[in-house]
Amino acid sequence: MDKKAIIEIENLSFSYDGTNVLENVNLTIGEKDFVWIVGPNGGGKTTLLKLILGLLSPTKGSVRVFGTSPQQARTQIGYMPQYAQLDPSFPVSVLDVVLMGRLCKGQFFGPFKRGDRKIALEMLREVGLAEFADRHYASLSGGQQRRLLIARALASRPELLILDEPTANLDLLVVRELYELLHRLNKQFTIVMVSHDPAFVAQTVKNVICVNRRVAVHPTTEVGDEIMSELYHGQVRMVRHGHSAGEEK
């Protein structure tokens, strides 16, 4: 039985000032898929992401999310940006940051409702940060801040989670813990992760979407040094963190 399509992109092209950024993209992402979008800087990853989020409109072709336009589907999408855009000196608590994720549910003025605070606390427990709820945001480590941004995205109760460079500048142990969290979350909904880093947990990500103006989809098991070198126009070796030294590749 075919899985329900969450994201459907057909014959899509996009240009900036007459320069082609994406050409003839056809892509379907199904329910509870976990996909990794990878490609060189300037290859179109961010543009593809913005098209899925409805922040840009295709020059040609179409994007549908949950069977409708990306703009109409926004309340079903949780988004974690690469940068928090939070002033570390601003007096905001960890719980306050997660509550920001409830704004898309119509809470714009006045204090948050009891139900919003309950959901925010649940999401902090989900990402292992419940004990830090009353701490200042800036007191968290880099890895904890990434978990916090995921909790903020989850606070909207999404059916699709999109993450932009969630592992950038994190050490290997923190990256491994983050992937374990995402693996658990993937049992609940679809995850799309954008990254330029060719190192990832092979057992967690199901498909790799290679973006360099054109788009190609590969099962994770098929992606090796040859495909990555072609994508990046150079010698790039895959690092599969799921394997330990001495295991058969």
Side-chain angles (χ1 to χ4, degrees):
M1 182 176 179
D2 292 338
K3 289 189 293 186
K4 174 184 176 182
I6 301 299
I7 298 171
E8 299 170 280
I9 298 177
E10 295 184 357
N11 304 318
L12 179 145
S13 295
F14 183 85
S15 302
Y16 279 120
D17 298 324
T19 301
N20 290 336
V21 178
L22 292 170
E23 294 182 0
N24 195 32
V25 176
N26 290 279
L27 176 65
T28 299
I29 297 175
E31 187 174 27
K32 295 186 179 178
D33 277 352
F34 190 154
V35 301
W36 178 51
I37 299 178
V38 64
N41 291 332
K45 298 190 312 296
T46 299
T47 298
L48 180 61
L49 187 67
K50 289 181 177 179
L51 287 160
I52 293 172
L53 291 169
L55 301 177
L56 294 174
S57 298
T59 304
K60 185 177 72 173
S62 65
V63 181
R64 296 182 68 79
V65 182
F66 296 106
T68 187
S69 70
Q71 293 83 357
Q72 291 177 310
R74 279 179 183 167
T75 58
Q76 297 170 270
I77 302 173
Y79 172 55
M80 176 193 155
Q82 182 176 358
Y83 301 106
Q85 303 295 331
L86 292 173
D87 185 344
S89 65
F90 188 74
V92 61
S93 72
V94 167
L95 180 61
D96 290 333
V97 173
V98 182
L99 282 168
M100 294 176 188
R102 297 298 299 165
L103 293 175
C104 69
K105 297 302 183 181
Q107 181 67 36
F108 292 100
F109 302 102
F112 285 97
K113 298 175 182 177
R114 182 180 298 176
D116 292 319
R117 295 179 65 84
K118 179 180 178 182
I119 290 171
L121 286 169
E122 286 176 1
M123 296 307 102
L124 282 175
R125 282 193 289 272
E126 183 74 60
V127 301
L129 293 176
E131 62 187 285
F132 300 98
D134 295 324
R135 290 197 186 182
H136 191 283
Y137 161 77
S139 70
L140 299 183
S141 68
Q144 289 170 336
Q145 288 183 4
R146 298 293 169 83
R147 286 175 174 264
L148 179 59
L149 293 179
I150 293 175
R152 184 177 69 175
L154 294 176
S156 66
R157 292 289 177 87
E159 298 176 59
L160 167 64
L161 181 62
I162 297 178
L163 306 104
D164 190 2
E165 303 284 5
T167 62
N169 303 315
L170 297 180
D171 63 47
L172 182 59
L173 178 61
V174 176
V175 169
R176 189 184 300 276
E177 292 174 347
L178 189 59
Y179 275 118
E180 289 173 354
L181 168 63
L182 294 177
H183 180 65
R184 295 199 307 271
L185 294 175
N186 183 223
K187 297 176 182 178
Q188 303 174 41
F189 40 69
T190 305
I191 297 178
V192 175
M193 183 178 70
V194 180
S195 176
H196 71 275
D197 184 357
F200 63 98
V201 179
Q203 307 99 308
T204 301
V205 180
K206 298 173 183 176
N207 290 299
V208 178
I209 299 172
C210 299
V211 181
N212 192 0
R213 197 169 73 175
R214 294 184 179 274
V215 169
V217 181
H218 303 278
T220 304
T221 53
E222 293 181 3
V223 178
D225 295 344
E226 182 178 349
I227 288 177
M228 298 307 293
S229 294
E230 181 180 346
L231 178 65
Y232 283 91
H233 303 296
Q235 295 300 313
V236 178
R237 290 186 60 80
M238 291 296 296
V239 180
R240 299 182 182 272
H241 296 317
H243 292 286
S244 61
E247 285 185 330
E248 182 180 351
K249 302 296 187 291

